[in-house]
Amino acid sequence: MSGAAQPGPRSWIATYRLQLHADFTLADAGKVLPYLKELGISHVYLSPCLQAMRGSQHGYDVTDPRRISEDLGGEAAWTQFVASARDRAVGILLDIVPNHMAATAQNPWWDDVLCHGPYSRYCQYFDIRMAVPSRFCVHICSLARPYGEALAAGELNLEVLQGQLRVRHYDNTWPLSPASWSALFDRADPCFAQLERLTQVDSPSEPQLLAYRAAVEKATQIVKDFAHQGGLPAAIADINSDRDRLDALLQRQFYALHGWKLAGELVNYRRFFDISTLVGISTERAEVFTAAHERFRKMIAAGEIDGLRVDHPDGLRDPREYFRRLRELLPQGRIYVEKILDNEEQLRTEWPVDGTVGYEFLSKVNRLWM
């Protein structure tokens, strides 16, 4: 760790990075602590440990920042690891990902946005740009072939998954907007007509939000009753067998599905580089910062971590303001940034951080061999 920008003396530390995943869990990490202590390591530097995509090998594809990854052993494993580290006087630096999350069905915030559009409580959590302001639509480019071809080939089908109506394409699924559930019935209930009207609104008012949620409750009960009566499987089968009806239903969603080759042209949410399964989050919003950092706040309050390594700060809209907020959370701890400095570039002195992770040093060392 190098390049301190925070004024005042700081002692050097000796870190050892531990890459956590399902085959090297927090319990496994705890077992190597005695060896690391013998080596003279003062702090273990953990890869991201919040809930990420199942089977993730790196943890940067976070799906739920409110809890420790189940792949790594969950909350109990975290508590045990912290206790083991403290018993050996080994500090903990934690890698965090404030710039993006996984854009998949495993992310409840993202899935809620796709289901409810501007009525989702998480609508402002993601950096989404609408080409047509009056129509909320997230463009998803993950089909194996163009939409029309995938539809005709029967690669898109409705299903019920964990009690929710969704459309499936191989391993991917997306939720159906409540307003579109009316396609399953011969006659529509008034609540569906109300939902249809409300979904035409781009920026709903508070009364419209309340009306939408009440109508969704009614619609949900109607679908549950229909399923209990045994009519849902046949209704889904009927739509899946009629490509025109299925297409009409999909056109009523808060998202549009496209072939993967159109990602560079159509994707309208900020991505991590060009990776469509990683969506940029609006950390500059106070409520998003608070929600995304709540688990870290609890770690800091409990004295469980000694510092943070911030992934990809250049992706943030306002890095200085972000680090100001982060420093308020961690006034005495260390904050290092994954900032890749150019040859003569200096780390910004107005960032209240302790330095970089040393890429600029490695770059100079590597040039010795050129």
Side-chain angles (χ1 to χ4, degrees):
M1 306 293 183
S2 62
Q6 182 75 357
R10 279 285 194 177
S11 60
W12 288 90
I13 62 177
T15 65
Y16 192 99
R17 179 175 171 85
L18 295 176
Q19 182 65 53
L20 303 172
H21 48 78
D23 295 322
F24 188 80
T25 66
L26 285 163
D28 297 318
K31 294 175 182 177
V32 304
L33 287 175
Y35 171 68
L36 296 180
K37 183 66 176 180
E38 289 183 12
L39 286 180
I41 297 301
S42 64
H43 292 70
V44 287
Y45 163 26
L46 296 180
S47 63
C49 67
L50 299 184
Q51 185 61 53
M53 290 287 293
R54 288 187 290 272
S56 175
Q57 291 294 299
H58 45 76
Y60 291 100
D61 44 0
V62 175
T63 59
D64 189 345
R66 299 166 294 184
R67 57 194 177 97
I68 303 296
S69 171
E70 294 299 325
D71 274 1
L72 306 182
E75 296 292 341
W78 170 258
T79 300
Q80 181 58 51
F81 177 80
V82 171
S84 297
R86 290 295 177 252
D87 286 346
R88 293 169 175 80
V90 174
I92 299 174
L93 299 179
L94 183 61
D95 201 342
I96 66 173
V97 192
N99 177 59
H100 57 267
M101 296 179 72
T104 74
Q106 294 180 38
N107 182 340
W109 294 354
W110 178 249
D111 209 54
D112 196 78
V113 171
L114 298 185
C115 186
H116 301 291
Y119 289 92
S120 170
R121 67 189 62 194
Y122 307 109
C123 183
Q124 301 299 320
Y125 278 39
F126 300 99
D127 195 355
I128 303 170
R129 295 292 183 269
M130 298 301 145
V132 181
S134 61
R135 173 75 170 98
F136 186 99
C137 183
V138 179
H139 291 278
I140 299 172
C141 299
S142 60
L143 302 183
R145 58 174 108 186
Y147 169 76
E149 295 180 13
L151 183 71
E155 294 172 355
L156 294 164
N157 288 284
L158 302 190
E159 67 175 15
V160 177
L161 184 62
Q162 297 179 344
Q164 186 183 40
L165 289 165
R166 305 183 68 88
V167 58
R168 174 175 292 279
H169 175 261
Y170 295 110
D171 292 336
N172 293 321
T173 73
W174 301 276
L176 296 186
S177 163
S180 70
W181 298 347
S182 60
L184 297 166
F185 306 98
D186 293 332
R187 60 184 182 83
D189 188 274
C191 71
F192 289 114
Q194 183 182 26
L195 283 171
E196 190 64 40
R197 290 192 299 271
L198 289 169
T199 55
Q200 304 307 312
V201 178
D202 178 54
S203 299
S205 63
E206 187 62 28
Q208 288 170 324
L209 284 169
L210 294 174
Y212 177 85
R213 289 166 187 165
V216 168
E217 285 187 16
K218 293 179 182 178
T220 300
Q221 190 58 53
I222 290 172
V223 173
K224 285 183 178 178
D225 291 343
F226 189 51
H228 183 71
Q229 296 163 6
L232 192 56
I236 290 176
D238 285 345
I239 292 180
N240 284 338
S241 65
D242 187 332
R243 299 289 104 180
D244 290 335
R245 288 183 64 195
L246 180 57
D247 176 54
L249 182 147
L250 292 176
Q251 298 306 317
R252 299 169 64 184
Q253 304 309 313
F254 287 117
Y255 53 86
L257 302 176
H258 310 280
W260 65 272
K261 290 184 179 181
L262 293 176
E265 178 182 347
L266 294 180
V267 166
N268 61 334
Y269 54 88
R270 181 169 59 86
R271 299 174 290 173
F272 178 71
F273 293 100
D274 61 350
I275 304 174
S276 296
T277 54
L278 294 176
V279 57
I281 58 175
S282 301
T283 319
E284 68 276 5
R285 292 179 174 271
E287 69 273 21
V288 180
F289 179 93
T290 299
H293 291 72
E294 178 61 18
R295 190 64 186 85
F296 303 134
R297 185 193 65 76
K298 292 178 180 178
M299 291 175 177
I300 294 166
E304 295 177 339
I305 58 177
D306 303 281
L308 298 169
R309 180 266 199 190
V310 180
D311 178 68
H312 196 54
D314 286 322
L316 301 171
R317 174 168 292 185
D318 188 348
R320 181 173 62 177
E321 176 61 17
Y322 171 79
F323 288 124
R324 184 192 68 77
R325 288 175 174 164
L326 195 62
R327 180 56 74 186
E328 288 180 354
L329 278 183
L330 190 66
Q332 302 302 320
R334 297 170 181 269
I335 299 177
Y336 296 103
V337 295
E338 186 221 16
K339 180 72 172 75
I340 302 175
L341 299 171
D342 204 354
N343 289 340
E344 305 304 323
E345 184 182 5
Q346 298 294 315
L347 186 62
R348 294 178 179 272
T349 57
E350 66 268 25
W351 288 7
V353 301
D354 293 285
T356 71
V357 294
Y359 287 156
E360 68 277 11
F361 172 75
L362 289 177
S363 178
K364 289 180 171 59
V365 171
N366 287 337
R367 282 200 291 273
L368 291 175
W369 309 104
M370 297 176 64

